[in-house]
Coordinates of all heavy atoms in Angstrom, one line a residue:
K1 N -0.5 -8.6 5.8 CA -0.3 -7.6 6.8 C 0.4 -6.4 6.2 O -0.1 -5.2 6.4 CB 0.6 -8.2 8.0 CG 1.0 -7.1 9.0 CD 1.9 -7.7 10.0 CE 2.4 -6.6 11.0 NZ 3.4 -7.1 11.9
I2 N 1.5 -6.6 5.5 CA 2.2 -5.5 4.9 C 1.4 -4.7 3.9 O 1.4 -3.4 4.0 CB 3.5 -6.0 4.3 CG1 4.4 -6.7 5.3 CG2 4.3 -4.9 3.6 CD1 5.5 -7.6 4.7
T3 N 0.7 -5.4 3.0 CA 0.0 -4.7 2.0 C -1.2 -3.9 2.6 O -1.7 -2.9 2.0 CB -0.5 -5.7 0.9 OG1 -1.3 -6.7 1.5 CG2 0.7 -6.2 0.2
A4 N -1.8 -4.4 3.7 CA -2.9 -3.6 4.3 C -2.4 -2.3 4.8 O -3.1 -1.3 4.6 CB -3.4 -4.4 5.5
Y5 N -1.2 -2.2 5.3 CA -0.6 -0.9 5.7 C -0.4 0.0 4.4 O -0.7 1.2 4.5 CB 0.7 -1.0 6.4 CG 0.6 -1.4 7.9 CD1 0.7 -2.8 8.2 CD2 0.4 -0.5 8.8 CE1 0.6 -3.1 9.6 CE2 0.3 -0.9 10.2 CZ 0.4 -2.2 10.5 OH 0.3 -2.5 11.9
I6 N 0.1 -0.6 3.4 CA 0.3 0.2 2.1 C -1.0 0.7 1.6 O -1.1 1.9 1.2 CB 1.0 -0.7 1.1 CG1 2.4 -1.0 1.6 CG2 1.0 0.0 -0.3 CD1 3.1 -2.0 0.7
E7 N -2.0 -0.1 1.5 CA -3.3 0.3 1.0 C -4.0 1.4 1.9 O -4.6 2.3 1.4 CB -4.3 -0.9 0.9 CG -3.8 -1.9 -0.2 CD -3.6 -1.2 -1.6 OE1 -4.6 -0.5 -2.0 OE2 -2.5 -1.3 -2.1
Q8 N -3.8 1.3 3.2 CA -4.3 2.3 4.1 C -3.6 3.6 3.9 O -4.2 4.7 3.9 CB -4.2 1.9 5.5 CG -4.9 2.8 6.5 CD -6.4 3.0 6.3 OE1 -7.1 2.0 6.1 NE2 -6.8 4.2 6.3
A9 N -2.3 3.6 3.6 CA -1.5 4.8 3.4 C -1.9 5.5 2.2 O -1.9 6.8 2.1 CB 0.0 4.4 3.3
K10 N -2.4 4.8 1.2 CA -2.9 5.4 -0.1 C -4.2 6.3 0.2 O -4.5 7.2 -0.6 CB -3.2 4.3 -1.1 CG -2.0 3.6 -1.6 CD -2.4 2.5 -2.6 CE -1.2 1.8 -3.1 NZ -1.5 0.7 -4.1
K11 N -4.9 6.0 1.3 CA -6.1 6.6 1.6 C -6.0 7.8 2.6 O -6.8 8.7 2.6 CB -7.1 5.6 2.1 CG -7.4 4.5 1.2 CD -8.3 3.4 1.9 CE -8.5 2.2 1.1 NZ -9.3 1.1 1.9
D12 N -4.9 7.7 3.4 CA -4.8 8.7 4.5 C -4.3 10.0 4.1 O -3.5 10.2 3.2 CB -3.9 8.1 5.6 CG -4.5 6.9 6.3 OD1 -5.7 6.8 6.3 OD2 -3.7 6.1 6.9
E13 N -4.8 11.1 4.7 CA -4.4 12.4 4.5 C -3.0 12.7 5.1 O -2.7 12.1 6.1 CB -5.4 13.4 5.0 CG -6.7 13.4 4.3 CD -7.7 14.5 4.8 OE1 -7.2 15.3 5.7 OE2 -8.8 14.5 4.4
G14 N -2.2 13.5 4.5 CA -0.9 13.8 5.0 C 0.1 12.7 4.7 O 1.1 12.7 5.4
V15 N -0.3 11.8 3.8 CA 0.6 10.6 3.6 C 0.8 10.5 2.1 O -0.2 10.6 1.3 CB 0.0 9.3 4.1 CG1 0.9 8.2 3.8 CG2 -0.2 9.5 5.6
E16 N 2.0 10.4 1.6 CA 2.3 10.2 0.2 C 3.2 9.1 -0.1 O 4.2 9.0 0.6 CB 2.9 11.5 -0.4 CG 3.2 11.5 -1.8 CD 3.9 12.7 -2.4 OE1 4.3 13.6 -1.5 OE2 4.1 12.8 -3.6
I17 N 2.9 8.2 -1.0 CA 3.7 7.2 -1.5 C 4.5 7.7 -2.7 O 4.0 8.0 -3.7 CB 3.0 5.9 -1.8 CG1 2.3 5.3 -0.6 CG2 3.9 4.9 -2.4 CD1 1.4 4.1 -0.8
I18 N 5.8 7.8 -2.5 CA 6.7 8.4 -3.6 C 7.4 7.4 -4.4 O 8.0 7.7 -5.4 CB 7.7 9.4 -3.0 CG1 8.7 8.7 -2.1 CG2 7.0 10.6 -2.3 CD1 9.9 9.6 -1.7
A19 N 7.3 6.1 -4.0 CA 7.9 5.0 -4.7 C 7.3 3.7 -4.3 O 6.9 3.5 -3.2 CB 9.4 4.9 -4.4
G20 N 7.1 2.8 -5.3 CA 6.5 1.5 -5.0 C 5.0 1.6 -4.8 O 4.3 2.4 -5.4
G21 N 4.5 0.7 -3.9 CA 3.1 0.7 -3.5 C 2.3 -0.4 -4.2 O 1.2 -0.7 -3.9
N22 N 2.9 -1.0 -5.2 CA 2.3 -2.1 -5.9 C 2.7 -3.5 -5.4 O 3.7 -3.6 -4.8 CB 2.6 -2.1 -7.4 CG 2.2 -0.8 -8.1 OD1 1.1 -0.3 -7.9 ND2 3.1 -0.2 -8.8
H23 N 1.8 -4.4 -5.6 CA 2.0 -5.8 -5.0 C 1.2 -6.8 -5.7 O 0.1 -6.5 -6.3 CB 1.8 -5.8 -3.5 CG 0.5 -5.1 -3.1 ND1 -0.7 -5.8 -3.1 CD2 0.2 -3.9 -2.7 CE1 -1.7 -5.0 -2.7 NE2 -1.2 -3.8 -2.5
S24 N 1.6 -8.1 -5.6 CA 0.8 -9.2 -6.2 C 1.2 -10.5 -5.6 O 2.4 -10.7 -5.3 CB 1.1 -9.2 -7.7 OG 0.5 -10.4 -8.3
K25 N 0.3 -11.4 -5.4 CA 0.6 -12.7 -4.9 C 0.1 -13.8 -5.8 O -0.2 -14.9 -5.4 CB 0.0 -12.9 -3.5 CG -1.5 -12.7 -3.3 CD -1.9 -13.0 -1.9 CE -3.4 -12.7 -1.7 NZ -3.8 -13.0 -0.3
E26 N 0.0 -13.4 -7.1 CA -0.4 -14.4 -8.1 C 0.6 -15.5 -8.3 O 0.2 -16.7 -8.3 CB -0.7 -13.7 -9.4 CG -1.2 -14.6 -10.5 CD -1.5 -13.8 -11.8 OE1 -1.5 -12.6 -11.8 OE2 -1.7 -14.5 -12.8
E27 N 1.8 -15.2 -8.4 CA 2.9 -16.2 -8.6 C 3.7 -16.4 -7.3 O 4.3 -17.4 -7.1 CB 3.8 -15.8 -9.8 CG 3.1 -15.8 -11.1 CD 4.0 -15.4 -12.2 OE1 5.2 -15.3 -12.0 OE2 3.5 -15.3 -13.4

């Protein structure tokens, strides 16, 4: 749920990620 919002924010206009944005559920 959380990462879906982050990935959408990367695509939307007028929105900037200035820190973070990465994620993994491998471990």
Side-chain angles (χ1 to χ4, degrees):
K1 174 187 174 182
I2 298 162
T3 56
Y5 282 97
I6 293 173
E7 291 306 307
Q8 186 61 46
K10 293 176 180 179
K11 303 173 186 177
D12 290 340
E13 294 184 5
V15 179
E16 180 185 6
I17 295 178
I18 63 170
N22 299 313
H23 47 86
S24 171
K25 58 180 176 180
E26 183 176 348
E27 296 182 2

